[in-house]
Amino acid sequence: MSATQSTYLEQEGVYQFYMEYPVPAYLVALVAGDLVPADIGPRSRVWAEPCLLPAATSKLSGLVERWLSAAETLYGPYIWGRYDIVFLPPSFPIVAMENPCLTFIISSILESDEFLIIDVIHEVAHSWFGNAVTNATWEEMWLSEGLATYAQRRITTEIYGAAFTCLETAFRLDALHRQMKLLGEDNPVSKLQVKLEPGVNPSNLMNLFTYEKGYCFVYYLSQLCGDPKHFDSFLRTYIEKYKFTSVVAQDLLDSFLNFFPELKEQCVDSKAGLEFERWLNATGPPLAEPDLSQGSSLTRPVETLFKLWTAEPLDAPAAASSVDIAKWRTFQTHMFLSSMLNPLYVLSSELVTKLSECYSSQLDSMNAEIRIRWLQIVVRNDYYPDLYKVRHFLENQMSRMYTIPLYEDLCAGTLKSFALEVFYQTQNQLHPNLRKTIQQILTQGLNPLPATELPAVTTDDTPAMVLEDKPPETANGAISLRDVDVSA
């Protein structure tokens, strides 16, 4: 359990947990299963099923302590005692959750070293931003997610260098802009302070704006200080002042201006076009974005390869031989495939065939974060030779950031019957909330058949599933993931 102390009374078969610090209810979590522990540092261990434990231990041994120490240098002592991690089955519907003392994370993330690094460091950052100091309402989730994303990138810069951090940031901001094009710049969910009016689902606020637009605002505040280290000092003071409490944006911004009286005198909060109020309440993209030129050595090759593959006429052998993507970082390969998924660019059947000939077998051995992007290309372009890989992927990946984009793509084109078939075969392995969301995607655009005419699948202990003839959740403002980075 997410607790500072735990005991097991073997004779009674009773576990007891104790949390000595006040935490908001959403951070209380318990896990039960065939879990075994292994130490990976002086104050960290992993919990996993026996078949996963060796991989989890080898991937994280010694690293978590390094990340915690870097975070402590930046933001002050780690107050929660232990930092343990539990790896959950593929049906866990999200990537990770920052429960104090025990981070929950999906086991499929072990496939990708880079995403494992980023996701765990992000949860480490939440130990200060989100767990110690929490947003008071869901309308201001950016106070936790934007600050945690900023802190995550300060930690990765200290440990892995600016180029790596800039690559990851470019990767996420590219996804943000794709989401912006999908939603339109006047969509209210692009605000940092979204109003939870009647009919608005709070889960729709878990989007890239909360993370990346929030990050850009925090980064902008740090730039006003002139030196990131000065901003680190402010954040340490902010944590100490509001520790174990819930805050609103005005608390953060008032503390910032009081900590830097010279900036308050300059009225930086009212600077034309960059007003703090506008940051919070204007729709659309961030008002300012960070300079990512230090990552150009990693992003430029991606841009070059994309141009080679989209040149007229196509010279596939030259494009394929220009770079060995097996030597690329995960973020680079992901960005290249995401560029190919740009909805404004139509891929010819020849291009998709050549891409498959050059990369498909190579991509098979890469992690799920990369494979999902190739499979989206396969589905959107009706590339039947690789369709069996889509089935295999959906039979083994049960997290919403992997399944939802593929189902949305399948149902947007000519492959809805294929989607229905795969869903009927896998639905009992899915988390109930995810199963419901996919049902809604599948009903969109179906002929209005009575529910009884649609096949139901049941097991001895699972109620029959019937696709209901009702509007999908997207009609109520939910965000489609088809053109959005699925892992963010």
Side-chain angles (χ1 to χ4, degrees):
M1 190 174 183
S2 54
T4 49
Q5 298 176 35
S6 62
T7 59
Y8 176 54
L9 306 176
E10 189 168 359
Q11 281 188 324
E12 291 85 357
V14 174
Y15 291 86
Q16 294 182 334
F17 303 98
Y18 180 75
M19 168 56 76
E20 60 185 291
Y21 304 113
V23 295
Y26 79 92
L27 292 176
V28 178
L30 182 147
V31 59
D34 182 15
L35 299 170
V36 288
D39 288 339
I40 54 171
R43 47 184 163 172
S44 301
R45 66 172 59 100
V46 293
W47 293 84
E49 294 176 275
C51 61
L52 285 174
L53 192 64
T57 304
S58 64
K59 294 267 187 179
L60 289 170
S61 185
L63 287 179
V64 171
E65 181 60 30
R66 186 182 180 192
W67 300 335
L68 285 170
S69 297
E72 287 183 313
T73 300
L74 293 169
Y75 303 120
Y78 178 74
I79 60 178
W80 303 100
R82 296 202 59 81
Y83 187 92
D84 292 355
I85 300 171
V86 57
F87 284 92
L88 299 174
S91 58
F92 188 55
I94 59 175
V95 175
M97 182 61 200
E98 67 271 15
N99 306 299
C101 307
L102 185 64
T103 285
F104 285 45
I105 194 163
I106 193 168
S107 57
S108 57
I109 206 71
L110 288 167
E111 293 182 17
S112 171
D113 291 348
E114 289 178 34
F115 277 90
L116 181 66
I117 288 170
I118 292 299
D119 289 327
V120 176
I121 291 179
H122 184 85
E123 307 314 321
V124 165
H126 270 306
S127 301
W128 287 262
F129 306 101
N131 294 4
V133 181
T134 304
N135 48 291
T137 76
W138 295 124
E139 295 177 332
E140 293 192 311
M141 286 180 63
W142 75 273
L143 281 169
S144 292
E145 297 299 349
L147 281 161
T149 301
Y150 176 84
Q152 161 212 313
R153 288 171 181 158
R154 285 287 291 127
I155 296 167
T156 58
T157 299
E158 292 294 314
I159 297 177
Y160 299 104
F164 175 79
T165 300
C166 287
L167 171 65
E168 186 262 335
T169 306
F171 164 78
R172 302 290 192 189
L173 289 178
D174 176 66
L176 177 72
H177 288 296
R178 281 187 277 114
Q179 190 174 77
M180 191 81 266
K181 289 177 182 177
L182 180 72
L183 296 174
E185 294 197 3
D186 59 348
N187 194 297
V189 300
S190 63
K191 295 180 180 181
L192 289 183
Q193 287 185 327
V194 183
K195 299 303 178 186
L196 282 178
E197 298 170 341
V200 176
N201 187 338
S203 66
N204 296 341
L205 307 185
M206 288 295 292
N207 59 57
L208 282 169
F209 300 99
T210 299
Y211 290 75
E212 297 304 330
K213 190 173 181 178
Y215 160 75
C216 286
F217 185 26
V218 177
Y219 182 87
Y220 170 70
L221 295 176
S222 75
Q223 292 298 291
L224 290 175
C225 305
D227 184 342
K229 295 186 182 300
H230 294 161
F231 193 64
D232 295 337
S233 298
F234 158 67
L235 289 177
R236 286 195 294 271
T237 302
Y238 164 79
I239 291 293
E240 191 58 36
K241 178 178 180 180
Y242 291 108
K243 186 168 56 179
F244 306 131
T245 65
S246 300
V247 299
V248 296
Q250 204 58 50
D251 296 323
L252 171 70
L253 298 177
D254 287 346
S255 297
F256 174 78
L257 292 173
N258 290 334
F259 191 86
F260 297 104
E262 68 280 9
L263 295 179
K264 187 174 184 178
E265 290 178 10
Q266 296 169 22
C267 297
V268 295
D269 56 325
S270 302
K271 187 175 180 180
L274 292 165
E275 299 91 345
F276 288 1
E277 191 278 334
R278 187 176 178 188
W279 269 104
L280 295 175
N281 293 303
T283 60
L287 304 182
E289 294 186 8
D291 176 10
L292 302 178
S293 57
Q294 291 185 78
S296 61
S297 62
L298 297 173
T299 57
R300 195 180 300 116
V302 179
E303 296 165 0
T304 300
L305 185 61
F306 175 72
K307 289 177 181 177
L308 287 171
W309 273 104
T310 54
E312 294 288 349
L314 174 63
D315 186 352
S321 62
S322 65
V323 65
D324 181 5
I325 65 170
K327 296 180 180 179
W328 269 4
R329 294 178 179 270
T330 291
F331 292 124
Q332 290 175 293
T333 308
H334 198 300
M335 286 180 70
F336 167 66
L337 294 174
S338 295
S339 298
M340 288 293 183
L341 281 167
N342 189 327
L344 300 178
Y345 185 79
V346 179
L347 303 184
S348 67
S349 57
E350 177 196 8
L351 178 54
V352 177
T353 300
K354 294 297 183 183
L355 282 170
S356 179
E357 291 173 355
C358 293
Y359 299 127
S360 182
S361 60
Q362 197 172 4
L363 296 174
D364 287 344
S365 62
M366 296 186 182
N367 59 66
E369 305 289 346
I370 290 175
R371 297 200 312 278
I372 175 68
R373 286 322 231 181
W374 169 246
L375 296 179
Q376 284 188 277
I377 293 174
V378 167
V379 170
R380 291 192 192 184
N381 294 278
D382 295 332
Y383 186 68
Y384 290 98
D386 274 8
L387 195 58
Y388 74 96
K389 296 180 181 180
V390 177
R391 179 191 297 275
H392 180 74
F393 188 87
L394 290 173
E395 288 172 346
N396 290 276
Q397 301 292 341
M398 304 293 170
S399 185
R400 65 181 299 110
M401 60 276 186
Y402 299 139
T403 54
I404 296 297
L406 279 176
Y407 275 106
E408 287 180 335
D409 279 334
L410 288 165
C411 293
T414 62
L415 296 168
K416 180 168 285 187
S417 59
F418 174 85
L420 283 164
E421 179 187 340
V422 175
F423 178 69
Y424 290 143
Q425 292 173 351
T426 61
Q427 62 165 320
N428 292 327
Q429 298 169 256
L430 300 173
H431 188 282
N433 291 346
L434 177 58
R435 188 187 309 145
K436 180 180 178 181
T437 301
I438 296 174
Q439 288 172 357
Q440 293 170 335
I441 293 169
L442 291 168
T443 59
Q444 187 175 20
L446 282 175
N447 293 327
L449 296 173
T452 54
E453 293 187 30
L454 293 171
V457 176
T458 182
T459 63
D460 292 340
D461 57 355
T462 304
M465 186 286 292
V466 176
L467 291 180
E468 300 177 14
D469 184 29
K470 63 181 180 180
E473 187 179 354
T474 50
N476 295 322
I479 296 172
S480 169
L481 296 176
R482 292 180 63 234
D483 298 294
V484 180
D485 171 40
V486 295
S487 61

